[in-house]
């Protein structure tokens, strides 16, 4: 996947939604048509593609596609077209190289948006259907099921996580993974056919019961479900229009100082949850699973101390990471042991690191309310800034002044994006015109454009920074989001660049990400969706894993 691994949690309804797309109705007379389809939908955003077909009687020399956006919707990045906006109306026009369409020919362009889908489509002033208004109708062919290029740990959703497999190996493969090498633990269970043993060790120092859940998507069948301690996968059944309690699928976890080994079946991608004291509350709907979202009002898991790791296990190996994309709650180490007996690990906090993060966040007036404390005094979690803003616990415009300054700086200078470390010849040059930052490739062709993002877009790496699953727009989008999160955009004019010492030095800064990274032994964390840019993420991978582990760290 463009994020180089599979830990993408999107709504299950997304898959179903992809079977339906906006298409042009049959033309009532010979005339060009425009069809729009949803390429992917990850809950907080979607990618669309427009295909203009010259079904008319003469060649086209130019084209213009217009539509209206429903209230609350927006268009972020776009490509193979120029866009202008007037209120809720959007107009896309051809670029210099794709305006001419011969009879029988086709041209496509695309964009990423949030909220409702476009309405009232017009092609060169006429209905996109060539005489009938375009509408939503069943697609005659299934659209591509590309997955979003980010970890969509947003919430609450009324559907289960749908985790797709990676499309390519991550940059942090076992040879370069952030961790220390150590000999394999001979006490680890032997790997069985079709299963991977994962040993969970409890070094937290806490005496509450620990409950473990293995939830995800069977990559062979696409079914959403859970695995038991022995690694048997069971698809979810039941559910209703009003969410109903899910079956209790908790696995008894280790007591303080103990360990528990569970089995993960191959071709599964999802999350390993662990909670202290109380069991987590999961609900089923007709579409899937309602996952915990303690930043949302009324979530029954609000007062439970819990966290999760994310994983994918398939024929390319194991990807396992700790995640702070939504919150920082239970510090934990993740590890994997390969066939050669080498164990790699990451995610370890420094001594008293959890408390240091909490103290630093409390000391910053803009972030202080994002520390969530239970009535008994237990600090349950620190919310990521996007979740804190959604909950009304910090300003929704916190980054606006920095974004405006960084964005406008490229009206007078060029931003160079070199998104692939192993392909230095692939580079894109960006300049700002008004609120739009457009990029050209090495031939001078405009290949991607981005409207100025909001603070929420930066926190979520979505909306105006939505990244499609391709090799041009998506990689640029993730690079921009990482640079804005780290406040290097505007200061460093080649991206990605700099080192950890250069990150979070702007004002205002992402104090949440800064403090989490600062308090990790190896400096690695997943403090935002594209923290894997420049390999800053807390991820381990091995192509031939024999065992894996999660250590609940002292706190």
């Amino acid at each position: 996947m463009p994020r180089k691994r599979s830990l993408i949690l999107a709504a299950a309804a997304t898959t179903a939604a992809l079977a339906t797309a906006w298409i042009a109705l049959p033309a009532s007379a010979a005339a060009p048509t425009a069809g729009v389809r949803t390429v992917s939908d990850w809950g907080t955003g979607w990618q669309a593609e427009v295909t203009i077909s010259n079904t008319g009687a003469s060649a086209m020399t130019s084209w213009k596609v217009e539509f209206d956006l429903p209230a609350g919707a927006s268009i972020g990045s776009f490509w193979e077209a120029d866009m202008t906006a007037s209120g809720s109306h959007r107009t896309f026009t051809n670029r210099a190289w794709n305006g001419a369409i011969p009879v029988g020919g086709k041209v496509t362009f695309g964009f990423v948006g949030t909220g409702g889908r476009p309405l009232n489509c017009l092609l060169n002033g006429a209905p996109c259907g060539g005489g009938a208004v375009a509408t939503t109708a069943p697609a005659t062919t299934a659209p591509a099921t590309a997955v979003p290029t980010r970890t969509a740990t947003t919430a609450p959703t009324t559907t289960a996580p749908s985790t797709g497999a990676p499309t390519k190996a991550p940059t942090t493969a076992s040879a370069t993974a952030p961790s220390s090498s150590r000999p394999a633990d001979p006490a680890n269970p032997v790997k069985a056919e079709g299963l991977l043993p994962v040993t969970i060790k409890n070094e937290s120092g806490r005496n509450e019961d620990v409950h473990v859940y293995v939830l995800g998507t069977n990559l062979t069948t696409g079914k959403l479900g859970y695995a038991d301690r022995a690694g048997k996968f069971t698809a979810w059944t039941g559910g209703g229009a009003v969410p109903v309690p899910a079956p209790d699928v908790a696995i008894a976890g280790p007591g303080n100082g103990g360990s528990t080994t569970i089995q993960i079946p191959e071709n599964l991608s999802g999350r390993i949850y662990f909670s202290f004291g109380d069991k987590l509350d999961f609900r089923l709907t007709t579409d899937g699973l309602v996952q915990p979202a303690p930043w949302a009002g009324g979530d029954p898991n609000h007062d439970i101390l819990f966290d999760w790791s994310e994983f994918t296990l398939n024929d390319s190996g194991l990807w396992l990471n700790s995640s702070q994309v939504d919150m920082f709650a239970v510090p934990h180490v993740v590890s994997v042991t390969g066939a050669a007996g080498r164990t790699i690990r990451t995610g370890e906090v420094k001594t008293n690191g959890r408390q240091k993060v909490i103290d630093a966040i409390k000391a910053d007036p803009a972030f202080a309310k994002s520390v969530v404390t239970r009535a008994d005094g237990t600090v349950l979690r620190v919310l990521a800034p996007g979740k804190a803003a959604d909950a009304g616990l910090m300003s929704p415009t916190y980054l606006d002044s920095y974004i405006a300054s960084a964005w406008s700086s490229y009206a007078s200078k060029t931003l160079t994006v070199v998104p692939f470390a192993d392909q230095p010849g692939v580079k894109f040059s960006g300049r700002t015109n008004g609120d739009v930052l457009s990029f050209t490739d090495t031939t001078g062709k405009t290949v991607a454009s981005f409207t100025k993002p909001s603070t929420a877009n930066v926190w979520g790496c979505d909306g105006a920074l939505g990244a499609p699953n391709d090799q041009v727009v998506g990689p640029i989008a993730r690079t921009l989001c990482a640079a804005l999160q780290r406040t290097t955009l505007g200061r460093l004019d080649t991206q990605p660049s700099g080192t950890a010492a250069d990150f979070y030095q702007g004002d205002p800064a992402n104090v949440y990400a800064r403090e989490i990274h600062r308090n990790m032994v190896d400096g690695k964390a997943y403090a935002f969706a594209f923290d894997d840019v420049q390999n800053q993420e807390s991820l381990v991978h091995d192509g031939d894993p024999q065992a894996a582990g999660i250590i609940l760290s002292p706190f």
Side-chain angles (χ1 to χ4, degrees), residues 2-19:
R3 197 182 168 209
K4 300 193 181 75
R5 58 189 190 82
S6 68
L7 306 175
I8 296 178
L9 302 176
T14 297
T15 305
L18 292 177

Side-chain angles (χ1 to χ4, degrees), residues 421-442:
D422 59 345
Q423 300 178 55
V426 178
K427 59 181 62 178
F428 306 97
S429 300
R431 294 295 291 263
T432 302
N433 182 7
D435 283 345
V436 177
L437 177 57
S438 294
F439 288 86
T440 56
D441 62 15
T442 54

